[in-house]
Amino acid sequence: LSGGTVTGSTAPASSQVTYPPINVPTYTNFGSVSFNVDSTIPSGDRTYVDLTVRSNKTLTIVGPANIVMSNLMMRSNSAMEAG
């Protein structure tokens, strides 16, 4: 990307920033998965502990879908798209 502008200070904040807690939903756990070929996740709600999309592969998520991932690894030239 080009043409963007960033403004503001690089100095440390004068006070700690507190964010509200995040409610992570609980869905069926599909464990760890590695997509070694172009793949599709069907619509629905699911959780993955580790989800990896290998190099030069595309993962398509068909909606409606809610996906919770503890760890996401996107290898070089991989892609994730909504389908």
Side-chain angles (χ1 to χ4, degrees):
L1 297 176
S2 63
T5 302
V6 177
T7 61
S9 172
T10 59
S14 59
S15 61
Q16 183 175 356
V17 177
T18 303
Y19 293 98
I22 297 172
N23 259 343
V24 178
T26 302
Y27 301 128
T28 300
N29 191 330
F30 286 77
S32 296
V33 63
S34 182
F35 294 99
N36 300 312
V37 297
D38 292 336
S39 301
T40 300
I41 294 177
S43 62
D45 302 330
R46 54 189 68 215
T47 295
Y48 293 99
V49 175
D50 297 299
L51 190 146
T52 301
V53 182
R54 296 289 179 195
S55 297
N56 304 306
K57 304 305 175 210
T58 298
L59 175 62
T60 303
I61 300 174
V62 177
N66 292 297
I67 309 293
V68 174
M69 294 172 263
S70 297
N71 298 297
L72 171 63
M73 176 72 68
M74 301 288 294
R75 298 291 184 181
S76 61
N77 298 312
S78 62
M80 188 181 296
E81 59 186 37

Coordinates of all heavy atoms in Angstrom, one line a residue:
L1 N 0.8 -1.2 0.0 CA 0.0 0.0 0.0 C 0.9 1.2 0.0 O 1.9 1.3 0.6 CB -0.9 0.0 1.2 CG -1.9 -1.1 1.4 CD1 -2.6 -1.0 2.7 CD2 -2.9 -1.2 0.2
S2 N 0.4 2.3 -0.6 CA 1.1 3.5 -0.6 C 0.1 4.7 -0.5 O -1.1 4.5 -0.6 CB 1.9 3.7 -1.9 OG 1.1 3.7 -3.0
G3 N 0.7 5.8 -0.2 CA -0.1 7.0 -0.1 C -0.8 7.3 1.3 O -1.5 8.2 1.4
G4 N -0.5 6.5 2.2 CA -1.0 6.6 3.6 C -0.3 7.7 4.4 O 0.9 8.0 4.1
T5 N -1.0 8.2 5.4 CA -0.3 9.1 6.3 C -0.5 8.7 7.7 O -1.6 8.3 8.1 CB -1.0 10.5 6.1 OG1 -0.9 10.9 4.8 CG2 -0.3 11.6 7.0
V6 N 0.5 8.7 8.5 CA 0.5 8.4 9.9 C 0.8 9.7 10.7 O 1.8 10.3 10.4 CB 1.5 7.2 10.2 CG1 1.4 6.9 11.7 CG2 1.1 6.0 9.4
T7 N 0.0 10.0 11.6 CA 0.3 11.2 12.4 C 0.2 10.8 13.9 O -0.2 9.7 14.3 CB -0.8 12.3 12.2 OG1 -2.1 11.8 12.6 CG2 -0.8 12.7 10.7
G8 N 0.7 11.7 14.8 CA 0.7 11.4 16.2 C 2.1 11.3 16.8 O 3.1 11.6 16.1
S9 N 2.1 10.9 18.0 CA 3.4 10.9 18.7 C 3.9 9.4 18.8 O 3.1 8.5 18.8 CB 3.2 11.4 20.1 OG 4.3 11.2 20.9
T10 N 5.2 9.3 18.9 CA 5.8 8.0 19.2 C 6.2 7.8 20.6 O 6.8 6.8 21.0 CB 7.0 7.7 18.3 OG1 8.0 8.7 18.5 CG2 6.6 7.7 16.8
A11 N 5.8 8.8 21.4 CA 6.2 8.8 22.9 C 5.3 7.8 23.6 O 4.1 7.5 23.2 CB 6.0 10.2 23.5
P12 N 5.8 7.2 24.7 CA 4.9 6.2 25.4 C 3.7 7.0 26.0 O 3.7 8.2 26.2 CB 5.8 5.8 26.6 CG 7.2 6.2 26.2 CD 7.1 7.3 25.2
A13 N 2.6 6.2 26.1 CA 1.4 6.7 26.6 C 1.6 7.2 28.1 O 2.4 6.6 28.8 CB 0.3 5.7 26.6
S14 N 0.9 8.2 28.5 CA 1.1 8.7 29.8 C 0.4 7.8 30.9 O 0.7 7.9 32.1 CB 0.5 10.2 29.9 OG -0.8 10.2 29.6
S15 N -0.6 7.0 30.4 CA -1.2 6.1 31.4 C -1.6 4.8 30.6 O -1.7 4.8 29.4 CB -2.5 6.7 32.0 OG -3.4 7.0 30.9
Q16 N -1.8 3.7 31.4 CA -2.1 2.5 30.9 C -3.5 2.5 30.2 O -4.4 3.1 30.8 CB -2.1 1.4 31.9 CG -2.4 0.0 31.5 CD -2.2 -1.1 32.5 OE1 -1.8 -0.7 33.7 NE2 -2.5 -2.3 32.2
V17 N -3.7 1.8 29.1 CA -5.0 1.8 28.4 C -5.6 0.4 28.8 O -5.0 -0.6 28.7 CB -4.8 1.8 26.9 CG1 -6.1 1.7 26.2 CG2 -4.1 3.1 26.5
T18 N -6.8 0.5 29.2 CA -7.6 -0.7 29.7 C -8.7 -0.9 28.6 O -9.5 -0.1 28.3 CB -8.2 -0.5 31.1 OG1 -7.2 -0.2 32.0 CG2 -8.9 -1.7 31.5
Y19 N -8.7 -2.2 28.1 CA -9.8 -2.6 27.2 C -10.7 -3.5 27.9 O -10.4 -4.2 28.8 CB -9.1 -3.3 26.0 CG -8.3 -2.4 25.2 CD1 -6.9 -2.4 25.3 CD2 -8.8 -1.6 24.2 CE1 -6.1 -1.5 24.5 CE2 -8.0 -0.7 23.4 CZ -6.7 -0.7 23.6 OH -5.9 0.1 22.8
P20 N -12.0 -3.5 27.4 CA -13.0 -4.4 28.0 C -12.7 -5.8 27.7 O -12.0 -6.1 26.7 CB -14.3 -4.0 27.4 CG -13.9 -3.3 26.1 CD -12.6 -2.7 26.4
P21 N -13.1 -6.8 28.5 CA -12.8 -8.2 28.2 C -13.5 -8.6 27.0 O -14.6 -8.1 26.6 CB -13.4 -8.9 29.5 CG -14.2 -8.0 30.2 CD -13.8 -6.6 29.8
I22 N -13.0 -9.6 26.3 CA -13.6 -10.1 25.1 C -14.3 -11.4 25.4 O -13.7 -12.3 26.0 CB -12.5 -10.4 24.0 CG1 -11.8 -9.1 23.6 CG2 -13.1 -11.0 22.8 CD1 -10.6 -9.2 22.7
N23 N -15.5 -11.5 25.0 CA -16.3 -12.8 25.2 C -16.0 -13.7 24.0 O -16.5 -13.4 22.9 CB -17.8 -12.5 25.3 CG -18.2 -12.6 26.7 OD1 -17.6 -13.1 27.6 ND2 -19.4 -12.0 27.0
V24 N -15.2 -14.7 24.1 CA -15.0 -15.6 23.0 C -16.0 -16.7 23.1 O -16.1 -17.4 24.1 CB -13.5 -16.2 23.1 CG1 -13.3 -17.2 22.0 CG2 -12.5 -15.1 23.1
P25 N -16.8 -16.9 22.0 CA -17.8 -17.9 22.0 C -17.2 -19.3 22.0 O -16.1 -19.5 21.6 CB -18.6 -17.6 20.7 CG -17.7 -16.9 19.8 CD -16.7 -16.2 20.7
T26 N -18.0 -20.3 22.4 CA -17.6 -21.7 22.5 C -18.4 -22.4 21.4 O -19.6 -22.4 21.4 CB -17.9 -22.3 23.8 OG1 -17.3 -21.6 24.8 CG2 -17.5 -23.7 23.9
Y27 N -17.6 -23.0 20.4 CA -18.2 -23.8 19.3 C -17.6 -25.2 19.3 O -16.6 -25.4 20.0 CB -17.9 -23.1 18.0 CG -18.5 -21.7 17.8 CD1 -17.6 -20.7 17.4 CD2 -19.8 -21.4 18.1 CE1 -18.1 -19.4 17.3 CE2 -20.3 -20.1 18.0 CZ -19.4 -19.1 17.6 OH -19.9 -17.8 17.4
T28 N -18.1 -26.1 18.5 CA -17.5 -27.4 18.3 C -16.0 -27.2 18.0 O -15.7 -26.5 17.0 CB -18.2 -28.2 17.2 OG1 -19.6 -28.3 17.6 CG2 -17.6 -29.6 17.1
N29 N -15.2 -28.0 18.7 CA -13.7 -27.9 18.5 C -13.3 -28.9 17.4 O -13.4 -30.1 17.6 CB -13.0 -28.1 19.8 CG -11.5 -27.7 19.7 OD1 -10.9 -27.8 18.6 ND2 -11.0 -27.3 20.8
F30 N -12.7 -28.4 16.3 CA -12.2 -29.2 15.3 C -10.7 -29.5 15.4 O -10.0 -30.0 14.5 CB -12.5 -28.6 13.9 CG -13.9 -28.8 13.5 CD1 -14.9 -28.0 14.1 CD2 -14.3 -29.7 12.6 CE1 -16.2 -28.1 13.8 CE2 -15.7 -29.9 12.3 CZ -16.6 -29.1 12.9
G31 N -10.1 -29.1 16.5 CA -8.7 -29.3 16.8 C -7.7 -28.6 15.9 O -8.0 -27.4 15.6
S32 N -6.6 -29.2 15.6 CA -5.6 -28.6 14.7 C -5.7 -29.1 13.3 O -5.9 -30.3 13.1 CB -4.2 -28.9 15.2 OG -4.0 -28.3 16.5
V33 N -5.6 -28.2 12.3 CA -5.7 -28.6 10.9 C -4.8 -27.8 10.1 O -4.5 -26.7 10.4 CB -7.2 -28.4 10.4 CG1 -7.6 -27.0 10.5 CG2 -7.4 -29.0 9.1
S34 N -4.2 -28.5 9.1 CA -3.3 -27.9 8.1 C -3.9 -28.1 6.7 O -4.1 -29.3 6.3 CB -1.9 -28.5 8.3 OG -1.0 -27.8 7.4
F35 N -4.1 -27.0 6.0 CA -4.6 -27.1 4.7 C -3.5 -27.2 3.7 O -2.8 -26.1 3.5 CB -5.6 -26.0 4.4 CG -6.9 -26.1 5.2 CD1 -7.0 -25.3 6.4 CD2 -7.9 -26.9 4.9 CE1 -8.1 -25.4 7.2 CE2 -9.0 -27.0 5.7 CZ -9.1 -26.2 6.9
N36 N -3.3 -28.3 3.1 CA -2.1 -28.5 2.1 C -2.6 -28.4 0.7 O -1.7 -28.4 -0.2 CB -1.5 -29.9 2.4 CG -1.0 -30.1 3.8 OD1 -0.3 -29.2 4.3 ND2 -1.3 -31.2 4.4
V37 N -3.9 -28.3 0.4 CA -4.4 -28.0 -0.9 C -5.5 -26.9 -0.8 O -5.9 -26.6 0.3 CB -5.1 -29.3 -1.5 CG1 -4.0 -30.4 -1.7 CG2 -6.2 -29.8 -0.6
D38 N -5.9 -26.3 -1.9 CA -6.9 -25.3 -1.8 C -8.1 -26.0 -1.2 O -8.5 -27.1 -1.6 CB -7.3 -24.8 -3.2 CG -6.2 -24.0 -3.8 OD1 -5.4 -23.4 -3.1 OD2 -6.1 -23.9 -5.1
S39 N -8.7 -25.3 -0.2 CA -9.8 -26.0 0.6 C -10.9 -25.0 1.0 O -10.7 -23.8 0.8 CB -9.2 -26.5 1.9 OG -8.1 -27.4 1.7
T40 N -12.0 -25.6 1.4 CA -13.2 -24.8 1.8 C -13.7 -25.3 3.1 O -13.8 -26.5 3.4 CB -14.3 -25.0 0.7 OG1 -13.8 -24.6 -0.5 CG2 -15.6 -24.2 1.1
I41 N -14.0 -24.3 4.0 CA -14.7 -24.6 5.3 C -16.1 -24.3 5.0 O -16.5 -23.1 4.6 CB -14.1 -23.8 6.4 CG1 -12.6 -24.2 6.7 CG2 -15.0 -23.9 7.7 CD1 -12.0 -23.3 7.8
P42 N -17.1 -25.2 5.3 CA -18.5 -24.9 5.0 C -19.1 -24.0 6.1 O -18.4 -23.7 7.1 CB -19.1 -26.3 5.1 CG -18.2 -27.1 6.0 CD -16.8 -26.6 5.8
S43 N -20.2 -23.5 5.8 CA -20.9 -22.6 6.7 C -21.1 -23.3 8.1 O -21.2 -24.5 8.2 CB -22.2 -22.1 6.2 OG -23.1 -23.2 6.0
G44 N -21.2 -22.5 9.1 CA -21.4 -23.0 10.5 C -20.4 -22.4 11.4 O -19.6 -21.5 11.1
D45 N -20.5 -22.8 12.7 CA -19.7 -22.3 13.8 C -18.7 -23.3 14.2 O -19.1 -24.5 14.4 CB -20.6 -21.9 15.0 CG -21.6 -20.8 14.6 OD1 -21.4 -20.0 13.7 OD2 -22.7 -20.8 15.2
R46 N -17.5 -23.0 14.3 CA -16.5 -23.9 14.7 C -15.2 -23.3 15.3 O -15.0 -22.1 15.1 CB -16.1 -24.8 13.5 CG -15.6 -24.0 12.3 CD -15.4 -24.9 11.1 NE -16.7 -25.4 10.6 CZ -16.9 -26.6 10.1 NH1 -15.9 -27.4 9.9 NH2 -18.1 -27.0 9.7
T47 N -14.5 -24.1 16.1 CA -13.2 -23.6 16.7 C -12.1 -24.5 16.2 O -12.3 -25.7 16.0 CB -13.4 -23.7 18.2 OG1 -14.3 -22.8 18.7 CG2 -12.0 -23.4 18.9
Y48 N -11.0 -23.8 16.0 CA -9.7 -24.5 15.6 C -8.7 -24.1 16.6 O -8.5 -23.0 17.0 CB -9.2 -24.2 14.2 CG -10.1 -24.7 13.1 CD1 -11.1 -23.9 12.5 CD2 -10.1 -26.0 12.7 CE1 -11.9 -24.3 11.5 CE2 -10.9 -26.5 11.7 CZ -11.8 -25.6 11.1 OH -12.7 -26.1 10.1
V49 N -7.9 -25.1 17.1 CA -6.8 -24.8 18.0 C -5.7 -24.2 17.2 O -5.2 -23.1 17.5 CB -6.3 -26.1 18.8 CG1 -5.1 -25.8 19.6 CG2 -7.4 -26.6 19.6
D50 N -5.2 -24.9 16.2 CA -4.2 -24.4 15.3 C -4.7 -24.6 13.8 O -5.1 -25.7 13.5 CB -2.9 -25.2 15.4 CG -2.3 -25.1 16.8 OD1 -1.9 -23.9 17.1 OD2 -2.1 -26.1 17.4
L51 N -4.7 -23.5 13.1 CA -5.2 -23.6 11.7 C -4.0 -23.0 10.8 O -3.6 -21.9 11.0 CB -6.4 -22.7 11.5 CG -7.1 -22.9 10.1 CD1 -8.6 -22.7 10.3 CD2 -6.6 -21.9 9.1
T52 N -3.6 -23.8 9.9 CA -2.4 -23.5 9.0 C -2.9 -23.6 7.6 O -3.5 -24.6 7.2 CB -1.2 -24.4 9.2 OG1 -0.8 -24.3 10.6 CG2 -0.1 -24.0 8.3
V53 N -2.6 -22.5 6.8 CA -2.8 -22.5 5.3 C -1.4 -22.6 4.7 O -0.7 -21.6 4.9 CB -3.7 -21.3 4.8 CG1 -3.9 -21.4 3.4 CG2 -5.0 -21.2 5.6
R54 N -1.1 -23.6 4.0 CA 0.2 -23.8 3.5 C 0.5 -22.9 2.3 O -0.4 -22.3 1.7 CB 0.4 -25.3 3.0 CG 0.3 -26.3 4.1 CD 1.6 -26.2 5.0 NE 1.5 -27.1 6.1 CZ 2.2 -27.1 7.1 NH1 3.1 -26.2 7.3 NH2 2.1 -28.0 8.1
S55 N 1.8 -22.7 2.0 CA 2.2 -21.8 0.9 C 1.4 -22.1 -0.4 O 1.2 -23.2 -0.8 CB 3.7 -22.0 0.6 OG 4.5 -21.7 1.8
N56 N 1.1 -21.0 -1.0 CA 0.4 -21.0 -2.3 C -1.0 -21.6 -2.3 O -1.4 -22.1 -3.4 CB 1.3 -21.6 -3.4 CG 2.6 -20.9 -3.5 OD1 2.7 -19.7 -3.6 ND2 3.7 -21.6 -3.3
K57 N -1.6 -21.8 -1.2 CA -2.9 -22.4 -1.1 C -3.9 -21.4 -0.6 O -3.6 -20.4 0.0 CB -2.9 -23.6 -0.1 CG -1.9 -24.6 -0.4 CD -2.0 -25.2 -1.8 CE -1.0 -26.2 -2.1 NZ -0.6 -26.2 -3.5
T58 N -5.2 -21.6 -1.0 CA -6.3 -20.7 -0.6 C -7.3 -21.4 0.2 O -7.7 -22.5 -0.1 CB -7.0 -20.1 -1.9 OG1 -6.0 -19.4 -2.6 CG2 -8.2 -19.2 -1.5
L59 N -7.7 -20.8 1.3 CA -8.7 -21.4 2.2 C -10.0 -20.5 2.0 O -9.9 -19.2 2.2 CB -8.3 -21.4 3.7 CG -9.4 -21.8 4.7 CD1 -9.8 -23.2 4.4 CD2 -8.9 -21.7 6.1
T60 N -11.1 -21.0 1.6 CA -12.3 -20.3 1.4 C -13.3 -20.7 2.5 O -13.5 -21.8 2.8 CB -13.0 -20.6 0.1 OG1 -12.0 -20.3 -1.0 CG2 -14.2 -19.9 -0.2
I61 N -13.8 -19.7 3.2 CA -14.8 -19.9 4.3 C -16.2 -19.5 3.7 O -16.4 -18.3 3.3 CB -14.4 -19.1 5.5 CG1 -13.1 -19.5 6.0 CG2 -15.5 -19.3 6.6 CD1 -12.5 -18.7 7.2
V62 N -17.1 -20.5 3.7 CA -18.4 -20.2 3.2 C -19.3 -19.8 4.3 O -19.3 -20.4 5.4 CB -19.0 -21.5 2.5 CG1 -20.4 -21.3 2.1 CG2 -18.1 -21.9 1.4
G63 N -20.0 -18.7 4.1 CA -20.8 -18.1 5.2 C -22.3 -18.5 5.0 O -22.6 -19.1 4.0
P64 N -23.0 -18.3 6.1 CA -22.6 -17.6 7.3 C -21.7 -18.5 8.1 O -22.0 -19.7 8.2 CB -23.9 -17.2 8.0 CG -24.9 -18.3 7.5 CD -24.5 -18.6 6.1
A65 N -20.7 -18.0 8.7 CA -19.8 -18.8 9.6 C -19.2 -17.9 10.7 O -18.9 -16.7 10.5 CB -18.7 -19.3 8.7
N66 N -19.0 -18.5 11.8 CA -18.2 -17.9 12.9 C -17.1 -18.9 13.2 O -17.3 -20.0 13.5 CB -19.1 -17.7 14.1 CG -20.2 -16.7 13.9 OD1 -19.9 -15.5 13.7 ND2 -21.4 -17.1 14.0
I67 N -15.9 -18.4 13.1 CA -14.7 -19.2 13.3 C -13.8 -18.6 14.4 O -13.5 -17.4 14.4 CB -13.8 -19.3 12.0 CG1 -14.7 -19.6 10.7 CG2 -12.6 -20.2 12.1 CD1 -15.2 -21.0 10.7
V68 N -13.5 -19.4 15.4 CA -12.6 -19.1 16.5 C -11.3 -19.8 16.3 O -11.3 -21.1 16.1 CB -13.2 -19.4 17.8 CG1 -12.2 -19.1 19.0 CG2 -14.5 -18.6 18.1
M69 N -10.2 -19.1 16.3 CA -8.9 -19.8 16.1 C -8.0 -19.3 17.2 O -7.8 -18.2 17.5 CB -8.2 -19.4 14.8 CG -9.0 -19.8 13.5 SD -8.3 -19.1 12.0 CE -9.4 -17.8 11.8
S70 N -7.3 -20.3 17.9 CA -6.3 -20.0 18.9 C -5.1 -19.5 18.2 O -4.4 -18.6 18.7 CB -6.1 -21.2 19.8 OG -7.2 -21.5 20.5
N71 N -4.7 -20.2 17.2 CA -3.4 -19.8 16.4 C -3.7 -20.0 14.9 O -4.2 -21.0 14.5 CB -2.3 -20.8 16.8 CG -1.9 -20.7 18.2 OD1 -1.5 -19.7 18.7 ND2 -2.1 -21.8 19.0
L72 N -3.4 -18.9 14.2 CA -3.5 -18.9 12.7 C -2.1 -18.7 12.1 O -1.4 -17.8 12.4 CB -4.4 -17.8 12.3 CG -4.5 -17.6 10.8 CD1 -5.1 -18.8 10.1 CD2 -5.4 -16.3 10.5
M73 N -1.8 -19.7 11.2 CA -0.5 -19.5 10.5 C -0.8 -19.5 9.0 O -1.4 -20.4 8.4 CB 0.4 -20.7 10.8 CG 1.7 -20.8 10.0 SD 2.9 -19.5 10.5 CE 3.3 -20.2 12.1
M74 N -0.5 -18.4 8.4 CA -0.6 -18.2 6.9 C 0.8 -18.2 6.3 O 1.5 -17.3 6.5 CB -1.3 -16.9 6.6 CG -2.7 -16.7 7.2 SD -4.0 -17.7 6.5 CE -4.1 -17.0 4.8
R75 N 1.1 -19.3 5.6 CA 2.4 -19.4 5.0 C 2.5 -18.5 3.7 O 1.5 -18.0 3.3 CB 2.7 -20.9 4.6 CG 2.7 -21.8 5.7 CD 3.9 -21.6 6.6 NE 4.0 -22.6 7.7 CZ 4.9 -22.6 8.6 NH1 5.8 -21.7 8.6 NH2 4.9 -23.5 9.5
S76 N 3.7 -18.4 3.2 CA 3.9 -17.4 2.1 C 3.0 -17.7 0.9 O 2.7 -18.8 0.5 CB 5.4 -17.5 1.6 OG 5.7 -18.8 1.1
N77 N 2.5 -16.6 0.4 CA 1.6 -16.6 -0.8 C 0.3 -17.3 -0.5 O -0.4 -17.7 -1.5 CB 2.3 -17.1 -2.0 CG 3.4 -16.2 -2.4 OD1 3.3 -15.0 -2.4 ND2 4.6 -16.8 -2.6
S78 N -0.1 -17.6 0.7 CA -1.4 -18.3 1.0 C -2.5 -17.2 1.1 O -2.2 -16.0 1.2 CB -1.3 -19.1 2.3 OG -1.1 -18.2 3.4
A79 N -3.7 -17.6 1.0 CA -4.8 -16.6 1.1 C -6.0 -17.2 1.8 O -6.2 -18.5 1.8 CB -5.2 -16.2 -0.4
M80 N -6.8 -16.3 2.4 CA -8.1 -16.7 3.0 C -9.1 -15.8 2.4 O -8.9 -14.6 2.4 CB -8.0 -16.6 4.5 CG -9.2 -17.2 5.2 SD -9.1 -17.0 7.0 CE -7.7 -18.0 7.4
E81 N -10.3 -16.4 2.0 CA -11.3 -15.6 1.4 C -12.7 -16.1 1.8 O -12.8 -17.2 2.2 CB -11.2 -15.6 -0.1 CG -11.3 -16.9 -0.7 CD -11.0 -16.9 -2.3 OE1 -10.1 -16.1 -2.7 OE2 -11.7 -17.6 -3.0
A82 N -13.6 -15.2 1.7 CA -15.0 -15.5 2.0 C -15.7 -15.9 0.7 O -15.5 -15.3 -0.3 CB -15.8 -14.3 2.6
G83 N -16.4 -17.0 0.8 CA -17.0 -17.5 -0.4 C -18.5 -17.6 -0.3 O -19.1 -17.4 0.7

